[in-house]
């Protein structure tokens, strides 16, 4: 995870040999590397699980309305299912959870009552549910890729009353006082080092991807105890 930082120049100079500093350091992208290295896969899923537990508790505490009326929820790019398990313990109305991620990730995810682990590719098809949840997934991808993922999520939810719930950072304006904005900007640097075209987004950039994916409206709620905000997008 550190060696891509020594290859940042490959992205800045854009010499075309590698798609990302991570690829320049390891010869493949971050997901392919995890798929072919079980030790790294377990390390990275464990790290994401630790932060998912904390972020999900803050979201349930500060934004419980996001999950009201949702009986079946698909967590797209849900990792080892920690976020979904944390959520379902606090929101018993969610009777069926689908933890959806790449096959090599869900194949080692723990079992949990009411949670189905489903392997697949979110660029192809997302399992159907009342609502789709994405936490720290879209920041790994370019605007064009986010629009594809969000369109797949839109196809997975009911047209009239479904929604997509996005838990991600929203980069503030320069003059906005926010004690976590520097952390969000540091995360933007992590995206630069580890992904091909990922980035943290401002509210205008979120509006662009959400609206371009065909959603008619959206709301944003900042979770002030965390760097995460909750964006709810409606068809
Ligand atoms: C930054 S992690 C976030 C994990 C989890 N949502 C969390 O907040 O802890 C991004 C997740 O997206 C998954 N992912 C990457 N490409 C995917 C794809 N094509 N289809 C489904 N999931 C994918 C990764 O395996 C990883 O678990």
């Amino acid at each position: 995870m550190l060696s891509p930082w020594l290859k940042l120049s490959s992205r800045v100079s854009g010499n075309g040999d590698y798609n990302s500093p991570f690829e320049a350091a390891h010869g493949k992208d971050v997901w392919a590397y995890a798929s072919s290295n079980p030790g790294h896969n377990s390390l990275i899923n464990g790290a994401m699980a630790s932060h998912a537990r904390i972020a999900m508790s803050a979201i349930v505490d500060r934004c419980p309305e996001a999950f009201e009326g949702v009986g079946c929820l698909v967590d797209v790019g849900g990792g080892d299912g920690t976020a979904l398990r944390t959520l379902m313990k606090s929101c018993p109305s969610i009777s069926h959870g689908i933890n959806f991620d790449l096959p090599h990730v869900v194949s080692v995810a723990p079992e949990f009552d009411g949670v189905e682990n489903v392997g697949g590719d979110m660029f192809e098809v997302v399992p159907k549910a009342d609502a789709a949840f994405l936490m720290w997934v879209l920041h790994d991808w370019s605007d064009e890729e986010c629009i594809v993922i969000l369109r797949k999520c839109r196809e997975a939810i009911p047209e009239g009353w479904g929604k997509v719930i996005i838990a991600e950072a929203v980069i503030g304006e320069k003059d906005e006082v926010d004690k976590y904005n520097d952390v969000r900007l540091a995360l933007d640097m992590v995206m630069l080092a580890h992904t091909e075209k990922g980035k943290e987004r401002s509210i205008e950039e979120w509006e662009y991807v959400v609206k371009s994916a065909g959603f008619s409206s959206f709301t944003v709620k900042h979770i002030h105890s965390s760097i995460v905000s909750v964006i709810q997008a409606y068809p």
Side-chain angles (χ1 to χ4, degrees):
M1 299 306 275
L2 289 177
S3 45
W5 290 89
L6 305 176
K7 302 281 183 186
L8 279 178
S9 58
S10 66
R11 179 142 165 188
V12 177
S13 66
N15 62 16
D17 288 346
Y18 302 103
N19 291 317
S20 66
F22 191 96
E23 199 176 309
H26 298 297
K28 48 183 82 160
D29 75 25
V30 67
W31 315 117
Y33 185 83
S35 171
S36 53
N37 290 275
H40 180 78
N41 188 36
S42 152
L43 186 72
I44 200 83
N45 292 335
M48 287 191 294
S50 305
H51 97 82
R53 205 171 291 114
I54 297 165
M56 203 67 238
S57 301
I59 291 169
V60 171
D61 194 37
R62 303 291 174 106
C63 192
E65 66 274 14
F67 304 98
E68 266 165 25
V70 175
C72 175
L73 183 81
V74 57
D75 187 357
V76 180
D80 80 347
T82 298
L84 199 50
R85 289 195 295 279
T86 309
L87 177 64
M88 287 173 72
K89 280 180 199 157
S90 307
C91 301
S93 65
I94 304 174
S95 54
H96 184 201
I98 304 169
N99 182 46
F100 179 65
D101 207 298
L102 293 168
H104 70 269
V105 177
V106 292
S107 65
V108 291
E111 300 287 323
F112 186 73
D113 262 1
V115 174
E116 190 186 349
N117 285 311
V118 176
D121 181 353
M122 63 193 171
F123 288 97
E124 299 289 328
V125 67
V126 168
K128 293 209 178 304
D130 298 340
F133 178 67
L134 298 132
M135 180 159 72
W136 299 125
V137 170
L138 297 174
H139 72 164
D140 293 329
W141 304 97
S142 69
D143 285 355
E144 293 67 32
E145 289 162 326
C146 286
I147 292 165
V148 174
I149 298 166
L150 285 169
R151 282 196 181 130
K152 295 296 170 190
C153 290
R154 196 172 180 279
E155 285 166 18
I157 57 170
E159 180 66 33
W161 49 275
K163 63 177 167 180
V164 174
I165 306 159
I166 302 164
E168 292 251 2
V170 176
I171 299 289
E173 294 303 318
K174 277 192 206 75
D175 53 357
E176 200 177 45
V177 180
D178 182 329
K179 64 178 176 173
Y180 293 124
N181 214 40
D182 285 350
V183 184
R184 297 186 186 100
L185 293 172
L187 203 53
D188 191 44
M189 287 295 292
V190 177
M191 294 307 114
L192 187 70
H194 287 175
T195 72
E196 200 176 311
K197 290 183 186 145
K199 59 177 181 178
E200 302 307 327
R201 291 181 166 84
S202 65
I203 192 66
E204 291 77 18
E205 289 170 319
W206 279 116
E207 177 167 18
Y208 173 72
V209 292
V210 166
K211 292 273 176 76
S212 302
F215 291 88
S216 61
S217 64
F218 70 101
T219 61
V220 182
K221 183 163 182 181
H222 301 299
I223 308 295
H224 290 292
S225 57
S226 162
I227 62 168
V228 82
S229 297
V230 176
I231 300 169
Q232 297 185 65
Y234 302 93

